Amino acid sequence: MTLSIPPTKTNSSGGLQPTGWLRYLSFSLDHKVIGIQYLVCGFIFYLIGGALASAIRIELTSPVSDFMARDVYNQVLTLHGTIMIFLWIVPVVNGAFGNYLIPFFVGARDMAFPRLNAVAFWLIPPAGLMLISSYFINGAAQSGWTAYPPLSITTPAAGQIIWIVSVLLLGGSSIFGGINFIATILKLRRPGLKLMQLPMYCWAMLGTSILVVLSTPVLAGTLILLSFDIVAHTGFFNPTLGGNVIVYQHLFWFYSHPAVYIMVLPAFGLVSEILPVHCRKPLFGYTTMVYSIMGIVVLGLVVWAHHMFTSGTPPWMRLFFTIATAFIAVPTGIKFFNWVATLWGGRISLNTAILFSCGFIVNFVLGGITGVALAQVPFDIHVHDTYFVVAHFHYIVYGGSVFVIFSSIYHWYPKFTGRMLSENIGRLHFIITFIGFNLCFAPQHWLGLNGMPRRVAEYDPQFAFVNQLSSAGALLMAISTLPFLWNVIYSAFKGPIAGDNPWEALTPEWLTSSPPPVENWKGEAPLVTKPYGYGQVEINANSIANKSIEGSE
């Protein structure tokens, strides 16, 4: 059954709006343009954050601090972490793909609040430029992406204040985006489309947006109080004035542990869209995956203190947060088994999109296992603030989120541009990235278990060889960006024409032209109630004009 919906009054991106590539430099109200703006802007910051990571790994190839001064190393470390989290992963997995895909998935012609959507994006470039410029003006913040007091209070104030203002702007952007996603999914869903018929990415973005709206204001309030301590010498967190640094940690991690799920839940949703298409099978266990996402949302809000087992937390609190953290492995494990079951017996096309998705599954499982280990108090105390935590964190956020970002670009690039990427170059990109990533971060588990602390520019010489292995892996990861950049830029002009639906996918965004028109569909929008019905249903789609889509089974 196909229903029609009228064009919305919210999208006025035609008419006076610039056209061509200039529209990507404008205050566009078109959700697709904003999605591409998020993606390109985020990738530019990824290159900057990656260059900073390379500088860190160059410094760590030798046990002594001989590449950069210690204060510069701390600034580079802080900038790298902040850029990668707040300017690359969060904006891209949420803002880029959320803006581009959610209106298609719910059958809308734009987001619920297009102007708020544009404001949310245009907060990011000035925030990022302000953050980076602090390095050249008065010196960037040196206290890491956690900004723990008293370190953040005792280091030079100017860089720390700029860091706080930048993060507040980025937090405002996230909140605006979260409100918009919730309203779009719940209020712009077209008639006849039930919640339990939505593509999985909608559920992932709904859960993520709930986390953003509930937890980000806590971080914003905490950083405002921290800025008072720095500028006005108040005593909220400053222990010399009666403040409590542990309170800061509780407030910071109330946001920052859910922030991990703000980065990986959208990745879960994106992978759940990609796997069924390229293995020609329905998504296994749709209902359980929905409940597991919502379970992660609830549990994600009550596990923050497992980051604080060495902060003098009382035994009852350690027990509670250990149990809660162990429980969160259950819904996460359900999703893993559902992805494997989706792949099992499928007619898998080993293209670049599914290679990166499978790479994500492998990396995330390894990161999840070490996460369960870190939830155990005795083990956590042993490896706290060592490179074991660095390795675990990067297996989750890079091995999880970034692998999915690349998988999603290879999957949706034909929809973005109307052209195909080179599969040969894409596979080369995957191979170098996968080898480089594991060579970089797997050895860091050993470093942590043997006591090498993180956030240091100098270390015991016994760790030199393993650090050099890790740096070689980082070099491979940096090199892997080159074929990707060539592929994306060259294919935008010379790539083979993709057609409207090169993957023969069933989700709604493929049932219109590639690239799509301004309001997504010319005429009636399709009502797709079984987006994973490979081999199960026939759907009505405008672009394929009454053609029955048959699955492989």
Side-chain angles (χ1 to χ4, degrees):
M1 180 180 180
T2 300
L3 300 178
S4 63
I5 56 175
T8 63
K9 296 180 181 178
T10 57
N11 193 331
S12 58
S13 54
L16 298 178
Q17 290 285 319
T19 59
W21 66 269
L22 280 176
R23 66 187 188 276
Y24 296 112
L25 299 177
S26 70
F27 193 80
S28 174
L29 305 183
D30 186 337
H31 71 96
K32 301 180 291 297
V33 173
I34 295 173
I36 298 298
Q37 287 174 325
Y38 268 106
L39 185 59
V40 174
C41 180
F43 193 78
I44 291 171
F45 284 118
Y46 170 66
L47 294 178
I48 297 171
L52 296 173
S54 298
I56 293 169
R57 289 312 317 175
I58 290 172
E59 174 62 71
L60 295 175
T61 52
S62 66
V64 296
S65 178
D66 53 3
F67 182 67
M68 62 181 95
R70 293 176 182 174
D71 60 336
V72 174
Y73 179 86
N74 290 336
Q75 293 175 32
V76 169
L77 197 70
T78 302
L79 282 175
H80 163 72
T82 308
I83 289 172
M84 287 305 203
I85 291 171
F86 295 110
L87 290 163
W88 161 237
I89 296 178
V90 171
V92 170
V93 295
N94 290 276
F97 294 105
N99 271 289
Y100 200 96
L101 297 174
I102 292 297
F104 284 112
F105 285 174
V106 301
R109 296 188 186 276
D110 209 323
M111 298 289 285
F113 309 113
R115 285 178 176 77
L116 184 66
N117 201 24
V119 169
F121 167 72
W122 282 107
L123 286 174
I124 293 176
L129 292 175
M130 184 189 305
L131 180 71
I132 295 168
S133 67
S134 64
Y135 178 82
F136 301 99
I137 299 174
N138 291 308
Q142 302 181 31
S143 55
W145 79 279
T146 57
Y148 275 173
L151 184 60
S152 55
I153 297 173
T154 54
T155 50
Q160 195 64 56
I161 290 297
I162 294 175
W163 183 91
I164 290 174
V165 174
S166 301
V167 174
L168 287 176
L169 289 174
L170 296 169
S173 170
S174 292
I175 293 171
F176 293 160
I179 293 171
N180 221 341
F181 285 127
I182 293 172
T184 302
I185 294 170
L186 297 182
K187 294 299 183 182
L188 290 192
R189 199 173 68 257
R190 61 168 303 154
L193 181 61
K194 300 176 182 176
L195 280 174
M196 295 304 284
Q197 294 171 332
L198 289 172
M200 191 56 61
Y201 184 60
C202 289
W203 282 103
M205 284 304 299
L206 183 62
T208 301
S209 300
I210 292 171
L211 284 175
V212 167
V213 172
L214 290 178
S215 63
T216 307
V218 176
L219 175 68
T222 306
L223 294 183
I224 290 171
L225 295 180
L226 180 64
S227 69
F228 288 164
D229 277 6
I230 296 172
V231 176
H233 306 294
T234 54
F236 294 106
F237 308 120
N238 189 341
T240 62
L241 298 176
N244 190 330
V245 295
I246 302 301
V247 172
Y248 176 89
Q249 292 188 27
H250 279 291
L251 295 172
F252 177 84
W253 286 112
F254 182 79
Y255 163 81
S256 294
H257 188 79
V260 174
Y261 301 106
I262 290 170
M263 290 184 272
V264 300
L265 274 181
F268 290 174
L270 292 168
V271 165
S272 300
E273 304 301 334
I274 295 169
L275 291 182
V277 175
H278 297 285
C279 69
R280 315 308 297 173
K281 278 185 64 183
L283 182 65
F284 185 87
Y286 175 94
T287 304
T288 58
M289 293 191 86
V290 170
Y291 290 134
S292 67
I293 285 175
M294 290 304 154
I296 291 172
V297 171
V298 174
L299 291 170
L301 290 168
V302 295
V303 296
W304 76 88
H306 71 224
H307 295 272
M308 302 167 54
F309 286 154
T310 60
S311 300
T313 49
W316 70 266
M317 189 178 289
R318 288 178 172 180
L319 178 62
F320 172 80
F321 285 101
T322 293
I323 294 172
T325 306
F327 265 119
I328 208 167
V330 175
T332 306
I334 289 172
K335 302 185 76 60
F336 165 73
F337 287 113
N338 284 348
W339 291 324
V340 173
T342 303
L343 289 166
W344 190 269
R347 197 173 66 190
I348 300 174
S349 174
L350 284 178
N351 54 38
T352 312
I354 207 164
L355 285 174
F356 268 105
S357 285
C358 291
F360 150 77
I361 293 173
V362 172
N363 295 332
F364 192 80
V365 168
L366 294 173
I369 291 171
T370 54
V372 173
L374 284 169
Q376 312 309 310
V377 176
F379 186 81
D380 180 83
I381 290 173
H382 177 69
V383 299
H384 185 80
D385 261 346
T386 71
Y387 259 85
F388 190 93
V389 179
V390 177
H392 159 72
F393 184 73
H394 282 83
Y395 264 87
I396 294 294
V397 298
Y398 194 105
S401 301
V402 179
F403 269 66
V404 174
I405 289 173
F406 285 129
S407 176
S408 301
I409 291 173
Y410 282 99
H411 179 71
W412 277 290
Y413 187 87
K415 180 55 59 181
F416 298 158
T417 65
R419 293 181 181 273
M420 301 296 291
L421 288 167
S422 166
E423 279 297 324
N424 288 333
I425 298 178
R427 292 190 183 97
L428 176 66
H429 174 213
F430 167 75
I431 291 170
I432 299 176
T433 305
F434 189 79
I435 294 174
F437 169 78
N438 283 285
L439 182 60
C440 180
F441 295 108
Q444 293 179 9
H445 293 101
W446 182 90
L447 290 174
L449 287 171
N450 285 276
M452 178 173 168
R454 60 175 173 169
R455 298 167 178 159
V456 293
E458 298 178 345
Y459 55 85
D460 192 313
Q462 66 170 312
F463 301 129
F465 176 70
V466 178
N467 268 297
Q468 288 160 5
L469 278 181
S470 184
S471 296
L475 176 64
L476 277 179
M477 292 171 68
I479 292 172
S480 74
T481 309
L482 299 178
F484 174 73
L485 280 173
W486 168 260
N487 202 3
V488 168
I489 296 172
Y490 178 84
S491 298
F493 300 98
K494 300 292 185 180
I497 300 298
D500 291 343
N501 191 358
W503 311 124
E504 297 185 350
L506 301 182
T507 40
E509 79 279 17
W510 296 103
L511 307 181
T512 184
S513 61
S514 297
V518 171
E519 292 194 326
N520 297 344
W521 293 279
K522 294 178 180 177
E524 296 182 343
L527 173 62
V528 178
T529 56
K530 293 189 176 182
Y532 311 114
Y534 298 98
Q536 294 181 339
V537 297
E538 294 179 350
I539 66 166
N540 190 336
N542 289 354
S543 64
I544 56 177
N546 300 320
K547 176 184 176 182
S548 297
I549 296 180
E550 298 179 356
S552 61
E553 298 181 356

